[in-house]
Amino acid sequence: VFSWQDGSSYEGGFVKGNIQGKGVYVWKDGRRYEGDWIENKMQGEGNFTWQDGRKYVGQYHDDKKSGYGEFTWPKGKVYKGYWFNGKQHGEGCLFDLNTGEKME
């Protein structure tokens, strides 16, 4: 476990002083990432949540959403699809979880 002066904390694996392996990082503003790390960067599978209820579950590369992932908004919309460099990219669909309908 490591805590920074700004209130952020990390609990998980370290290799040669770097965040590495599985772990949980919590920012002082309440954002939380639980998942895989390589050399201090989110890399692999992870789950990122925000205080306002937004949530992303999926793949990361170099600290950015990349590969398949699902992003859910607090009011019931979810994007299921692919990401590249932190942005929606390629095949994907937007759904309304309240009605179960696919959105155009």
Side-chain angles (χ1 to χ4, degrees), residues 10 13 19-25 27 33-45 63:
Y10 172 77
I19 295 173
Q20 183 116 353
K22 301 259 183 217
V24 178
Y25 193 106
W27 284 262
Y33 173 80
E34 182 172 352
D36 300 323
W37 295 85
I38 294 179
E39 296 184 358
N40 300 321
K41 293 185 178 182
M42 297 177 285
Q43 179 93 14
E45 296 291 324
D63 262 351

Side-chain angles (χ1 to χ4, degrees), residues 94-103:
L94 187 62
F95 294 90
D96 185 329
L97 295 176
N98 300 310
T99 64
E101 294 178 13
K102 181 177 174 181
M103 302 173 74

Side-chain angles (χ1 to χ4, degrees), residues 41-98:
K41 293 185 178 182
M42 297 177 285
Q43 179 93 14
E45 296 291 324
N47 181 340
F48 199 110
T49 55
W50 288 261
Q51 287 284 82
D52 65 3
R54 289 176 291 156
K55 178 169 119 176
Y56 173 80
V57 177
Q59 299 171 328
Y60 281 86
H61 179 74
D62 200 25
D63 262 351
K64 296 178 182 151
K65 295 181 266 319
S66 190
Y68 183 82
E70 298 183 5
F71 192 101
T72 305
W73 286 268
K75 294 194 177 188
K77 291 181 184 174
V78 63
Y79 169 79
K80 297 180 180 186
Y82 289 88
W83 300 77
F84 179 73
N85 205 26
K87 298 181 180 177
Q88 298 168 356
H89 181 81
E91 291 185 32
C93 293
L94 187 62
F95 294 90
D96 185 329
L97 295 176
N98 300 310

